[in-house]
């Protein structure tokens, strides 16, 4: 029998491996770091005014790289103020890496970390069960809304948890013609990850926010990913990147040959990538959306 394609999300450790190759091959983190350095300080400049503790909720905090960058900006703005940083992530490996990172990082004395191995939906259920009315000063969802079943409901729920002066930050693939969008539009229906993963872009989020009448600012963040290894026979990194691009576990072994051929051709087209200096650079532009209470 022909092998069947299965979703990359169904294999936690393969997902983490391919995600790490993605980070290594892309300017994802540099582009987010630049946003955190240049834009974030102005955006969080009043989240802690008059408060003795600043409550931050990280949804899908992953291994914590971006979280710690953002926390240092909050610390710089509110030196010495206690920060309560709660992290929600369903992936145990990522939480483990996050804890290791915190253990190795200095100057976190005034930050209290709590980790919950759960999804955003499970968090919401837990809060409802505890009849909690806890408010947050800063909530962020960096690259995680793809893994949520009902995006409008998720945004509505977390938006109502914002304290005065608080901010909700969403980072997602840009709605302006990225390689991702091209790939998803053409081949999404033939790839296994339809129920667990939506192919939302910032354009979808913008439409949801406009419909809900919420106030926000949108920032475009240019980024690319070097996918040259995808075209290198026998490259392990290439195989893991293909898995990440298609959200499919062992794509090159399990995809029908015709689909594989089409996707490999698609990845080289100008709608997805640019060829520069013998490299194939996939358009990975992001958007950051900052929502007011």
């Amino acid at each position: 029998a022909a092998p069947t394609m299965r979703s990359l999300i169904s294999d936690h450790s393969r997902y983490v491996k391919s995600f790490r190759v993605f980070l290594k091959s892309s300017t994802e983190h540099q582009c987010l770091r630049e946003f955190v350095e240049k834009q974030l300080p102005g955006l969080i400049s009043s989240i802690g005014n008059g408060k003795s503790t600043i409550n931050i909720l990280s949804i899908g905090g992953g291994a914590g790289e971006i979280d710690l960058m953002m926390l240092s900006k909050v610390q710089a703005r509110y030196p010495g103020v206690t920060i309560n940083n709660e992290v929600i992530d369903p992936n145990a490996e990522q939480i483990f890496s996050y804890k290791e990172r915190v253990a190795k990082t200095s100057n976190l004395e005034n930050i209290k970390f709590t980790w919950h191995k759960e999804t955003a939906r499970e968090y919401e259920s837990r809060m409802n069960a505890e009849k909690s009315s806890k408010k947050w000063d800063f909530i962020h969802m960096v690259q995680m809304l793809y893994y949520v079943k009902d995006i409008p409901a998720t945004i509505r729920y977390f938006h109502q948890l914002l304290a005065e002066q608080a901010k909700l930050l969403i980072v997602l693939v840009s709605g302006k013609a990225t390689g991702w969008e091209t790939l998803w539009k053409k081949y999404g229906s033939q790839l296994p990850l339809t129920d667990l993963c939506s192919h939302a872009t910032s354009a979808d989020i913008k439409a949801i926010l406009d419909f809900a009448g919420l106030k926000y600012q949108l920032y475009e963040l240019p980024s690319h990913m070097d996918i040259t290894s995808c075209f290198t026979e026998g490259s392990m990194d290439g195989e893991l990147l293909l898995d990440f691009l298609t959200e499919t576990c062992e794509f090159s072994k399990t995809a029908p040959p015709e689909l594989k051929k089409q996707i490999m051709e698609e990845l080289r087209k100008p709608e997805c990538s640019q060829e520069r200096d013998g490299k194939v650079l996939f358009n990975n532009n992001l958007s950051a959306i900052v929502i007011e209470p």
Side-chain angles (χ1 to χ4, degrees), residues 261-278:
K261 181 172 168 289
Q262 287 173 351
I263 284 181
M264 296 307 286
E265 283 169 9
E266 190 66 42
L267 285 172
R268 288 199 107 113
K269 288 183 185 165
E271 289 80 8
C272 278
S273 303
Q274 285 186 320
E275 302 222 12
R276 262 210 320 264
D277 309 325

Side-chain angles (χ1 to χ4, degrees), residues 61-78:
E65 299 99 323
I66 308 297
D67 283 22
L68 292 187
M69 283 180 211
M70 294 199 280
L71 284 165
S72 75
K73 295 300 170 208
V74 178
Q75 280 182 310
R77 172 65 188 89
Y78 296 100

Side-chain angles (χ1 to χ4, degrees), residues 27-41 66 69 73 220-222:
T27 59
E28 173 97 354
H29 274 181
Q30 294 91 298
C31 122
L32 288 171
R33 182 177 289 118
E34 201 166 302
F35 170 75
V36 168
E37 292 293 330
K38 292 196 175 130
Q39 310 290 350
L40 194 72
I66 308 297
M69 283 180 211
K73 295 300 170 208
E220 291 292 342
L221 317 176

Side-chain angles (χ1 to χ4, degrees), residues 59-266:
I59 303 167
E65 299 99 323
I66 308 297
D67 283 22
L68 292 187
M69 283 180 211
M70 294 199 280
L71 284 165
S72 75
K73 295 300 170 208
V74 178
Q75 280 182 310
R77 172 65 188 89
Y78 296 100
V81 174
T82 303
I83 297 170
N84 166 39
N85 187 67
E86 290 200 32
V87 182
I88 295 168
D89 200 290
N91 190 321
E93 277 187 58
Q94 292 281 68
I95 290 179
F96 180 76
S97 302
Y98 196 141
K99 289 179 177 175
E100 279 193 318
R101 186 178 304 273
V102 165
K104 288 194 202 111
T105 305
S106 52
N107 308 327
L108 301 176
E109 295 77 18
N110 60 330
I111 306 178
K112 178 179 177 284
F113 288 88
T114 320
W115 289 271
H116 304 277
K117 185 184 169 298
E118 63 189 357
T119 62
R121 182 77 197 87
E122 287 161 350
Y123 172 84
E124 186 178 339
S125 304
R126 184 163 63 86
M127 289 302 111
N128 290 338
E130 292 173 13
K131 300 208 176 353
S132 160
S133 55
K134 181 163 183 151
K135 296 278 191 193
W136 299 90
D137 303 305
F138 183 34
I139 301 177
H140 53 81
M141 310 174 170
V142 176
Q143 293 286 46
M144 65 68 67
L145 277 176
Y146 319 109
Y147 310 112
V148 161
K149 268 216 158 56
D150 186 339
I151 296 178
T154 303
I155 292 176
R156 266 199 311 276
Y157 173 73
F158 286 103
H159 179 262
Q160 54 154 25
L161 301 185
L162 292 175
E164 280 177 66
Q165 311 276 346
K167 295 280 192 280
L168 168 57
L169 167 67
I170 293 173
V171 173
L172 215 61
V173 164
S174 171
K176 295 202 167 119
T178 60
W180 292 106
E181 204 186 6
T182 306
L183 210 53
W184 289 340
K185 278 216 171 104
K186 272 197 180 168
Y187 298 103
S189 61
Q190 297 175 62
L191 295 168
L193 204 56
T194 39
D195 54 336
L196 246 183
C197 186
S198 73
H199 296 140
T201 70
S202 66
D204 301 303
I205 305 305
K206 207 170 159 319
I208 290 166
L209 298 175
D210 290 338
F211 182 74
L214 298 179
K215 281 175 56 180
Y216 61 90
Q217 292 149 285
L218 189 134
Y219 303 83
E220 291 292 342
L221 317 176
S223 170
H224 65 261
M225 164 175 29
D226 181 348
I227 60 168
T228 318
S229 62
C230 294
F231 304 95
T232 310
E233 201 57 51
S235 160
M236 189 62 200
D237 277 6
E239 297 210 354
L240 287 163
L241 269 187
L242 271 178
D243 284 14
F244 193 75
L245 284 161
T246 58
E247 295 279 354
T248 304
C249 196
E250 307 218 30
F251 175 79
S252 56
K253 291 190 180 68
T254 61
E258 187 47 38
L259 178 65
K260 185 180 170 186
K261 181 172 168 289
Q262 287 173 351
I263 284 181
M264 296 307 286
E265 283 169 9
E266 190 66 42

